[in-house]
Amino acid sequence: MTTITKTLQATLAPPTAHKQSKLNDLLETYREGLQEAFDAGASTMSDVSDIVTPYDLPYQAKAALCNYVPKLHKTYNAEELDDEHPIRLTNQAAKFDHSDERKYEFTWWVPRPGRGTNFWIPLRINPEQKDLWHDLVSEDAKAGEIRLQKHRKNWVLHVTVEYPVEKPSTDGDTTHIGLDIGETALITGCALKDGSPTDPFVCDGSRAKHLRKEMHTTLKRLQERDASEWRIEDRFSHYQNALTDIVEKASRHAVEYAKQFENPVLVMEDLTYIRERLDYGKYMNRRLHSWAFARLQGRIEDKATEAGIPVEYVNPAYTSQTCHSCHRIGRRDSQAEFRCLHDDCHVSTFQADINASANIAQRVDPWGESVPLDKAERDDSPRDGSGCDTATTHCETSSPQQMTLAVFQESKPSASDD
């Protein structure tokens, strides 16, 4: 068995004025405690506890703060806090109920400080996640962190859940399928048959690239005009919803592609330890950082696991500059073309992304090509500077959640950089 992690999302049904007031008080108090603990530089759970204990917060929120604030300093190196931080709660707040007889079948027991102050509130769930909500109520799925975010007049609840699935396995000969994640080509897939690239596919990334560029331009103009925060948030959410849709469709496409082969194994680059060593200038870096390569990898892995397809991760060094046929270093003079420099190799030029995905697929074989890890600092990007299409972000635990406006704003250059 293996475990999958997903995030369930629900919108709180319009609360009464009394419940709305309680929610607002909870949010305001939580952010005050968060700000004080952050400003004090609290770097341990004990330090945070000393600060937030006097606050009128439920114990689930205080415990979450004790875990979260040290990470802001140690993990995220945060210099300041965003004003729109959600309320974080430990999984002890994951108390839900279900009844077919209600208009809103699922309800949440909202935690409040003190005895007898909690209250039930109905949830508008995503119908596609209904089975997981049932599993959460029956405890067949295990709840993780809970986040409650206010968006203008709406309250949105995010619940991280873990649930077991059968571990994918293969019998007999496997078909290794390399997936190269990029920007111009969102996904390039290539299966290996007898060591040769077979029936590759390309998922175009032009729509996502256009949306990201348009999002940056639109938000910049709104901020220059001093537009209201809700309008900026609304436009950002619009673009993030569109990008999330692209991620979901592209990841589904990749898994459907794999299903056509016998005993498929998906292979992707392990980006966990790759440092941000390449600098293409502030404009290209902004585009890189605003596109979550790790999110796409995570969604591919989720869907593959559900389909019973194993996923492997391999060393990413040199995938763009190695010939898939002779396994020697060549040149990638542009984003589109790889050139092998060796006369005794039958490959002269090859489509660069397909060449890279074939290399990725080959590396899952321990008897195949090997790349020394101590040489991973080599610039593996195209020589024309289009290496922005190479994923160099850190690989994170899979999560379908979207980028927040705060994270996007942190990655933007200042006005003088454009």
Side-chain angles (χ1 to χ4, degrees):
M1 298 291 286
T2 188
T3 300
I4 289 182
T5 301
K6 285 192 175 182
T7 300
L8 303 183
Q9 178 174 314
T11 301
L12 274 58
T16 62
H18 183 59
K19 291 181 179 179
Q20 180 77 265
S21 177
K22 288 184 177 180
L23 290 170
N24 286 331
D25 289 344
L26 177 62
L27 179 61
E28 182 178 353
T29 306
Y30 177 89
R31 288 178 176 169
E32 287 176 357
L34 172 61
Q35 189 71 57
E36 182 179 350
F38 179 82
D39 290 344
S43 58
T44 67
M45 296 180 69
S46 177
D47 290 341
V48 178
S49 179
D50 290 341
I51 294 172
V52 303
T53 294
Y55 279 85
D56 194 24
L57 289 169
Y59 69 90
Q60 300 95 330
K62 292 179 180 178
L65 282 171
C66 289
N67 183 58
Y68 179 60
V69 175
K71 291 181 180 179
L72 287 171
H73 294 292
K74 295 180 178 179
T75 305
Y76 306 124
N77 297 318
E79 296 181 0
E80 59 181 341
L81 288 182
D82 178 64
D83 293 334
E84 301 301 318
H85 265 280
I87 300 170
R88 281 178 164 79
L89 303 162
T90 62
N91 61 359
Q92 295 165 308
K95 187 173 182 179
F96 301 95
D97 185 60
H98 173 263
S99 173
D100 291 329
E101 299 178 358
R102 292 193 293 255
K103 177 181 178 181
Y104 301 106
E105 297 182 19
F106 293 89
T107 56
W108 176 42
W109 188 235
V110 182
R112 289 276 298 155
R115 296 179 61 87
T117 58
N118 292 13
F119 59 89
W120 290 101
I121 194 161
L123 301 176
R124 294 172 171 172
I125 68 165
N126 178 349
E128 295 182 0
Q129 297 179 334
K130 187 173 183 178
D131 288 344
L132 273 178
W133 280 104
H134 278 293
D135 290 343
L136 192 58
V137 171
S138 64
E139 298 185 354
D140 290 332
K142 180 181 177 181
E145 184 185 69
I146 295 175
R147 286 174 288 117
L148 181 62
Q149 177 76 59
K150 186 177 183 180
H151 295 292
R152 297 184 64 200
K153 295 182 179 180
N154 292 329
W155 295 84
V156 180
L157 186 71
H158 294 90
V159 185
T160 302
V161 295
E162 294 182 353
Y163 59 98
V165 296
E166 290 293 332
K167 188 173 183 178
S169 61
T170 57
D171 298 319
D173 294 334
T174 59
T175 303
H176 294 144
I177 302 166
L179 296 181
D180 184 46
I181 310 298
E183 186 182 38
T184 300
L186 197 57
I187 306 175
T188 303
C190 183
L192 291 184
K193 287 290 188 179
D194 298 323
S196 298
T198 303
D199 193 21
F201 92 99
V202 177
C203 182
D204 182 61
S206 58
R207 174 62 177 163
K209 183 188 292 187
H210 170 76
L211 283 171
R212 293 197 307 279
K213 182 177 180 181
E214 183 179 294
M215 176 175 66
H216 170 73
T217 302
T218 300
L219 296 182
K220 183 178 179 181
R221 288 176 179 172
L222 287 173
Q223 290 169 337
E224 288 173 348
R225 297 171 184 172
D226 292 327
S228 59
E229 287 298 322
W230 73 262
R231 180 161 179 77
I232 295 174
E233 178 71 32
D234 180 70
R235 295 313 299 161
F236 181 79
S237 297
H238 164 77
Y239 288 114
Q240 284 301 300
N241 287 336
L243 289 169
T244 296
D245 183 62
I246 290 174
V247 166
E248 293 301 308
K249 290 178 179 177
S251 55
R252 184 165 57 248
H253 187 182
V255 174
E256 289 299 322
Y257 168 75
K259 286 180 179 179
Q260 66 181 299
F261 299 100
E262 185 176 359
N263 292 329
V265 175
L266 286 176
V267 189
M268 293 186 286
E269 293 175 310
D270 183 356
L271 307 174
T272 306
Y273 302 107
I274 298 300
R275 297 187 311 203
E276 291 288 357
R277 64 188 185 277
L278 306 179
D279 187 356
Y280 305 105
K282 294 184 182 297
Y283 174 68
M284 298 312 302
N285 284 343
R286 180 187 69 234
R287 288 170 58 185
L288 246 183
H289 297 159
S290 65
W291 178 243
F293 290 103
R295 176 164 45 133
L296 180 54
Q297 280 191 331
R299 297 305 290 145
I300 291 171
E301 183 173 2
D302 283 347
K303 290 179 172 61
T305 303
E306 289 177 341
I309 300 174
V311 177
E312 300 283 350
Y313 288 90
V314 297
N315 178 12
Y318 297 98
T319 54
S320 293
Q321 292 192 20
T322 299
C323 176
H324 71 272
S325 180
C326 70
H327 311 314
R328 290 175 288 184
I329 297 296
R331 289 173 63 96
R332 186 169 180 173
D333 293 323
S334 69
Q335 181 60 34
E337 184 179 89
F338 168 82
R339 183 185 301 275
C340 186
L341 305 177
H342 305 279
D343 294 336
D344 59 342
C345 178
H346 75 276
V347 173
S348 56
T349 60
F350 209 83
Q351 207 286 333
D353 292 324
I354 296 176
N355 177 73
S357 60
N359 283 325
I360 293 169
Q362 289 172 341
R363 288 190 182 175
V364 79
D365 180 3
W367 299 105
E369 178 202 11
S370 176
V371 177
L373 288 173
D374 60 355
K375 292 185 179 180
E377 288 304 305
R378 179 185 177 102
D379 186 334
D380 194 29
S381 62
R383 296 178 182 272
D384 66 355
S386 54
C388 60
D389 291 339
T390 300
T392 57
T393 55
H394 294 283
C395 184
E396 301 174 349
T397 303
S398 169
S399 176
Q401 65 209 38
Q402 299 177 355
M403 175 186 287
T404 65
L405 181 57
V407 172
F408 173 78
Q409 289 174 329
E410 286 176 2
S411 68
K412 292 191 306 177
S414 63
S416 60
D417 296 329
D418 288 322

